[in-house]
Amino acid sequence: MGVIKAVCTSDIKGIQKTEQAAIELRPNWGIEGDAHAAPWHRQVSLLSYDRVKEFNQRGAGVEDGAFGENLVVEGLDFAALPVGTMLYCGPVELKITQIGKECHSHCAIYQRMGECIMPTQGVFAEVIKGGELRPGEEMQAKLPQQIS
């Protein structure tokens, strides 16, 4: 079980996302107002709060949304979950579709730290069922073999 620490969006691709009080997710689309919303497999990006905290303890000094992630969740290690894992949070259902991504341009975080955690720790999901999400809500993960 995890807890959402931050929900973030940006209306332009390739930049840091900004924390929001709440976000609205639409099935097969993504987050309303986010640049990555489209009918494709990377509608929502997620990153473990715990991994960001560890990275900050090494001097990164990054805030929520700095890696371009939409959801920051404490208590779930997303990189350890396989593709096909379902994430449940209130009415919202997400399906993990990709683990990590190639970093083509080495972002400002990489330039400063010599590494970036999003390519190995971030995951992407598509929205199966939509609804509103806010910080403080609980998120549950079910592995593909647990889904009936």
Side-chain angles (χ1 to χ4, degrees):
M1 185 85 61
V3 176
I4 295 176
K5 299 293 280 184
V7 295
C8 308
T9 63
S10 65
D11 56 1
I12 300 170
K13 289 183 179 182
I15 66 168
Q16 179 172 316
K17 296 188 185 289
T18 305
E19 277 193 71
Q20 306 296 324
I23 54 173
E24 185 69 30
L25 293 93
R26 284 186 25 213
N28 196 34
W29 183 253
I31 299 169
E32 289 291 336
D34 189 71
H36 291 93
W40 70 319
H41 71 289
R42 286 178 22 190
Q43 297 166 358
V44 179
S45 57
L46 301 97
L47 194 56
S48 169
Y49 169 83
D50 307 290
R51 297 292 175 241
V52 176
K53 184 177 174 182
E54 289 170 6
F55 195 57
N56 278 337
Q57 289 171 343
R58 296 195 315 259
V62 297
E63 297 178 2
D64 295 329
F67 296 97
E69 75 278 14
N70 296 118
L71 300 177
V72 180
V73 181
E74 183 176 25
L76 289 177
D77 184 5
F78 291 115
L81 300 174
V83 168
T85 298
M86 293 295 297
L87 304 171
Y88 302 93
C89 188
V92 175
E93 292 182 15
L94 304 173
K95 182 178 184 179
I96 295 179
T97 56
Q98 182 176 326
I99 310 293
K101 73 174 187 108
E102 186 177 345
C103 186
H104 297 287
S105 59
H106 290 311
C107 64
I109 297 167
Y110 183 93
Q111 298 298 328
R112 187 172 73 249
M113 293 294 295
E115 66 176 315
C116 177
I117 63 172
M118 192 64 179
T120 59
Q121 299 299 316
V123 300
F124 297 89
E126 60 185 359
V127 180
I128 305 302
K129 289 187 181 177
E132 184 179 86
L133 289 183
R134 297 177 172 275
E137 295 186 47
E138 290 184 347
M139 179 178 281
Q140 181 180 7
K142 285 193 179 179
L143 300 174
Q145 63 270 25
Q146 296 173 319
I147 301 167
S148 52

